Amino acid sequence: MKDTINFIIGPQGLILLGGILALVGAFWSARRDLDSEKELNAKNQIIIEKSDEITELNNQIKNVLTGGNSFPYVIFGSPDDIHGLPTIHLKGENAIANVTGKLIDIRALRLDQRKGNIPSDVGINFSKDIISPAYATFVINENSFYDISKGARFLVHFYTPYYKFTQVIAVEPRTTDMYPLQAYRIYKGGTGVSDGNLIYTNYPDNFPIPLEEIDFLEDLTSEELQKIKKKNKT
């Protein structure tokens, strides 16, 4: 009994007691750290969620201001096989404000250039306060028809406060549901087709010309350009 008492209150007992207290303290500290870590993780999760919400809100505001991934384009309606009426549409969810542009009849342009008019003034300028996915708008008015009886080629430039889009259109006169057949490509950025990024292609299955063979711009040949340059010098 005495030995037992001496063990408990002696150096060994103090060491044992100290070990127990240290173990209890370590357990309590670990539990407190665990609770603190859980609390910290919970706070961090709230911060992450709020940060994501702010980022999403910023993206929504940016999309409203810039139009996001939306882009304008022209398609031709037609009451018959001869006339084509160009209207502006929007693909995407976000409207685009303050859009200016120019619609160019490529064949009329090349004809004017062959007369020596380089640069040429051929084309119709337009300006729209807003282009919305909810409705289409006429390029000029409901009477701005083009002759598509032998097919047609068009170039459209769209300018917004943030982006530039370029569209090339090949129109053939066959009609389905009041619309002529039309294939088109849309480019974003750059100065046009040559250095813009191709973002969209529309090609009907029944279009009479293979896509890779469509000469959208019907460019002047190098020989024609040389003749025009010589003519302008004289």
Side-chain angles (χ1 to χ4, degrees):
M1 183 66 177
K2 183 179 180 179
D3 291 340
T4 301
I5 294 175
N6 287 336
F7 174 77
I8 292 175
I9 63 175
Q12 297 88 342
L14 292 175
I15 293 173
L16 177 62
L17 181 60
I20 293 172
L21 291 175
L23 181 61
V24 171
F27 176 79
W28 180 82
S29 177
R31 179 61 182 270
R32 185 180 63 179
D33 290 343
L34 182 60
D35 292 340
S36 297
E37 183 177 357
K38 288 182 178 180
E39 183 179 356
L40 180 60
N41 288 339
K43 291 180 178 179
N44 286 340
Q45 184 61 36
I46 293 174
I47 293 173
I48 291 173
E49 290 175 357
K50 294 300 181 183
S51 178
D52 290 341
E53 290 177 7
I54 293 172
T55 299
E56 178 61 25
L57 180 60
N58 285 337
N59 287 334
Q60 291 177 7
I61 294 173
K62 178 183 176 182
N63 290 339
V64 169
L65 292 174
T66 67
N69 292 326
S70 299
F71 58 84
Y73 63 101
V74 166
I75 60 173
F76 283 78
S78 178
D80 49 44
D81 288 343
I82 299 175
H83 303 97
L85 178 63
T87 54
I88 301 174
H89 298 253
L90 187 79
K91 189 173 184 64
E93 298 180 353
N94 298 286
I96 302 178
N98 302 316
V99 180
T100 59
K102 188 170 187 177
L103 172 69
I104 302 170
D105 182 333
I106 288 295
R107 292 176 178 172
L109 172 67
R110 299 308 180 210
L111 180 61
D112 190 53
Q113 289 175 330
R114 289 185 176 97
K115 294 177 181 178
N117 297 319
I118 296 179
S120 173
D121 292 328
V122 169
I124 294 177
N125 296 312
F126 58 86
S127 178
K128 305 296 177 183
D129 292 334
I130 191 166
I131 298 177
S132 168
Y135 57 86
T137 180
F138 297 115
V139 171
I140 300 298
N141 55 54
E142 65 274 14
N143 297 314
S144 55
F145 285 99
Y146 285 83
D147 183 358
I148 60 169
S149 58
K150 297 180 181 179
R153 301 292 182 267
F154 295 90
L155 172 68
V156 192
H157 293 301
F158 295 95
Y159 304 94
T160 80
Y162 302 94
Y163 304 113
K164 174 186 177 181
F165 300 94
T166 301
Q167 180 185 10
V168 289
I169 313 170
V171 181
E172 294 299 323
R174 302 178 189 175
T175 58
T176 302
D177 298 329
M178 305 301 288
Y179 285 91
L181 290 174
Q182 48 207 303
Y184 55 86
R185 284 174 168 166
I186 298 173
Y187 300 82
K188 184 177 182 179
T191 58
V193 175
S194 60
D195 59 349
N197 295 319
L198 178 63
I199 61 172
Y200 189 80
T201 298
N202 179 81
Y203 180 76
D205 293 336
N206 56 342
F207 200 79
I209 306 171
L211 178 61
E212 62 276 7
E213 295 180 12
I214 299 175
D215 187 0
F216 285 99
L217 294 177
E218 299 186 346
D219 291 314
L220 298 173
T221 65
S222 57
E223 292 78 10
E224 286 177 316
L225 286 173
Q226 291 300 322
K227 289 180 181 179
I228 294 171
K229 290 179 180 178
K230 290 181 180 179
K231 181 178 180 179
N232 287 339
K233 288 180 180 179
T234 60

Tab-separated table of all heavy atoms in Angstrom, residues 14-32:
chain	number	residue	atom	x	y	z
A	14	LEU	N	3.896	11.693	-10.709
A	14	LEU	CA	3.842	13.028	-11.307
A	14	LEU	C	4.032	12.959	-12.821
A	14	LEU	O	3.375	13.668	-13.585
A	14	LEU	CB	4.919	13.922	-10.680
A	14	LEU	CG	4.698	14.289	-9.204
A	14	LEU	CD1	5.886	15.076	-8.669
A	14	LEU	CD2	3.401	15.093	-9.045
A	15	ILE	N	4.933	12.077	-13.238
A	15	ILE	CA	5.161	11.904	-14.670
A	15	ILE	C	3.909	11.369	-15.347
A	15	ILE	O	3.488	11.828	-16.410
A	15	ILE	CB	6.352	10.972	-14.914
A	15	ILE	CG1	7.641	11.645	-14.433
A	15	ILE	CG2	6.460	10.593	-16.393
A	15	ILE	CD1	8.862	10.734	-14.465
A	16	LEU	N	3.281	10.327	-14.687
A	16	LEU	CA	2.058	9.757	-15.242
A	16	LEU	C	0.945	10.790	-15.308
A	16	LEU	O	0.231	10.923	-16.301
A	16	LEU	CB	1.617	8.560	-14.397
A	16	LEU	CG	0.290	7.897	-14.823
A	16	LEU	CD1	0.421	7.341	-16.247
A	16	LEU	CD2	-0.076	6.779	-13.836
A	17	LEU	N	0.817	11.566	-14.177
A	17	LEU	CA	-0.215	12.591	-14.138
A	17	LEU	C	0.036	13.653	-15.207
A	17	LEU	O	-0.887	14.112	-15.884
A	17	LEU	CB	-0.252	13.236	-12.749
A	17	LEU	CG	-1.313	14.343	-12.543
A	17	LEU	CD1	-2.709	13.790	-12.769
A	17	LEU	CD2	-1.184	14.938	-11.130
A	18	GLY	N	1.313	14.005	-15.325
A	18	GLY	CA	1.657	14.988	-16.357
A	18	GLY	C	1.353	14.472	-17.743
A	18	GLY	O	0.868	15.205	-18.609
A	19	GLY	N	1.609	13.190	-17.962
A	19	GLY	CA	1.315	12.592	-19.265
A	19	GLY	C	-0.165	12.602	-19.560
A	19	GLY	O	-0.603	12.874	-20.686
A	20	ILE	N	-0.964	12.276	-18.522
A	20	ILE	CA	-2.423	12.272	-18.700
A	20	ILE	C	-2.925	13.675	-19.018
A	20	ILE	O	-3.728	13.878	-19.924
A	20	ILE	CB	-3.111	11.719	-17.447
A	20	ILE	CG1	-2.775	10.226	-17.274
A	20	ILE	CG2	-4.629	11.914	-17.528
A	20	ILE	CD1	-3.262	9.641	-15.960
A	21	LEU	N	-2.421	14.656	-18.206
A	21	LEU	CA	-2.845	16.033	-18.442
A	21	LEU	C	-2.425	16.509	-19.837
A	21	LEU	O	-3.167	17.220	-20.514
A	21	LEU	CB	-2.238	16.947	-17.363
A	21	LEU	CG	-2.781	16.752	-15.943
A	21	LEU	CD1	-2.017	17.624	-14.946
A	21	LEU	CD2	-4.273	17.047	-15.899
A	22	ALA	N	-1.206	16.115	-20.231
A	22	ALA	CA	-0.733	16.495	-21.565
A	22	ALA	C	-1.610	15.880	-22.646
A	22	ALA	O	-1.926	16.509	-23.652
A	22	ALA	CB	0.722	16.061	-21.757
A	23	LEU	N	-2.027	14.617	-22.444
A	23	LEU	CA	-2.877	13.933	-23.404
A	23	LEU	C	-4.236	14.603	-23.491
A	23	LEU	O	-4.772	14.829	-24.583
A	23	LEU	CB	-3.037	12.473	-22.987
A	23	LEU	CG	-3.893	11.601	-23.933
A	23	LEU	CD1	-3.257	11.550	-25.322
A	23	LEU	CD2	-4.023	10.188	-23.365
A	24	VAL	N	-4.782	14.927	-22.290
A	24	VAL	CA	-6.068	15.628	-22.271
A	24	VAL	C	-5.949	16.987	-22.953
A	24	VAL	O	-6.811	17.402	-23.736
A	24	VAL	CB	-6.569	15.791	-20.824
A	24	VAL	CG1	-7.810	16.707	-20.766
A	24	VAL	CG2	-6.889	14.433	-20.210
A	25	GLY	N	-4.845	17.691	-22.642
A	25	GLY	CA	-4.639	19.003	-23.259
A	25	GLY	C	-4.488	18.896	-24.766
A	25	GLY	O	-5.024	19.727	-25.515
A	26	ALA	N	-3.762	17.881	-25.197
A	26	ALA	CA	-3.577	17.692	-26.638
A	26	ALA	C	-4.907	17.386	-27.309
A	26	ALA	O	-5.207	17.891	-28.403
A	26	ALA	CB	-2.571	16.564	-26.886
A	27	PHE	N	-5.709	16.530	-26.648
A	27	PHE	CA	-7.013	16.183	-27.204
A	27	PHE	C	-7.912	17.414	-27.292
A	27	PHE	O	-8.583	17.658	-28.291
A	27	PHE	CB	-7.666	15.102	-26.333
A	27	PHE	CG	-9.063	14.751	-26.770
A	27	PHE	CD1	-9.275	13.900	-27.857
A	27	PHE	CD2	-10.170	15.275	-26.110
A	27	PHE	CE1	-10.555	13.573	-28.256
A	27	PHE	CE2	-11.453	14.963	-26.523
A	27	PHE	CZ	-11.655	14.102	-27.598
A	28	TRP	N	-7.899	18.219	-26.208
A	28	TRP	CA	-8.748	19.429	-26.185
A	28	TRP	C	-8.297	20.427	-27.242
A	28	TRP	O	-9.108	21.034	-27.948
A	28	TRP	CB	-8.667	20.046	-24.789
A	28	TRP	CG	-9.497	21.301	-24.661
A	28	TRP	CD1	-10.823	21.387	-24.432
A	28	TRP	CD2	-9.019	22.638	-24.766
A	28	TRP	NE1	-11.234	22.690	-24.381
A	28	TRP	CE2	-10.132	23.485	-24.591
A	28	TRP	CE3	-7.761	23.202	-24.973
A	28	TRP	CZ2	-10.029	24.872	-24.621
A	28	TRP	CZ3	-7.646	24.578	-25.009
A	28	TRP	CH2	-8.771	25.404	-24.843
A	29	SER	N	-6.949	20.557	-27.345
A	29	SER	CA	-6.410	21.491	-28.341
A	29	SER	C	-6.743	21.035	-29.752
A	29	SER	O	-7.110	21.831	-30.619
A	29	SER	CB	-4.893	21.602	-28.174
A	29	SER	OG	-4.337	22.452	-29.165
A	30	ALA	N	-6.625	19.699	-29.979
A	30	ALA	CA	-6.928	19.162	-31.301
A	30	ALA	C	-8.405	19.358	-31.630
A	30	ALA	O	-8.764	19.702	-32.755
A	30	ALA	CB	-6.568	17.677	-31.353
A	31	ARG	N	-9.253	19.154	-30.604
A	31	ARG	CA	-10.697	19.337	-30.817
A	31	ARG	C	-11.004	20.798	-31.139
A	31	ARG	O	-11.795	21.095	-32.037
A	31	ARG	CB	-11.467	18.880	-29.577
A	31	ARG	CG	-12.982	19.055	-29.696
A	31	ARG	CD	-13.538	18.236	-30.849
A	31	ARG	NE	-14.954	18.449	-30.992
A	31	ARG	CZ	-15.882	17.719	-30.374
A	31	ARG	NH1	-15.505	16.705	-29.563
A	31	ARG	NH2	-17.156	17.954	-30.556
A	32	ARG	N	-10.330	21.708	-30.416
A	32	ARG	CA	-10.546	23.137	-30.663
A	32	ARG	C	-10.046	23.530	-32.052
A	32	ARG	O	-10.701	24.263	-32.782
A	32	ARG	CB	-9.825	23.959	-29.590
A	32	ARG	CG	-10.104	25.466	-29.709
A	32	ARG	CD	-9.371	26.224	-28.642
A	32	ARG	NE	-7.926	26.075	-28.798
A	32	ARG	CZ	-7.024	26.657	-27.999
A	32	ARG	NH1	-7.445	27.402	-26.987
A	32	ARG	NH2	-5.741	26.474	-28.194
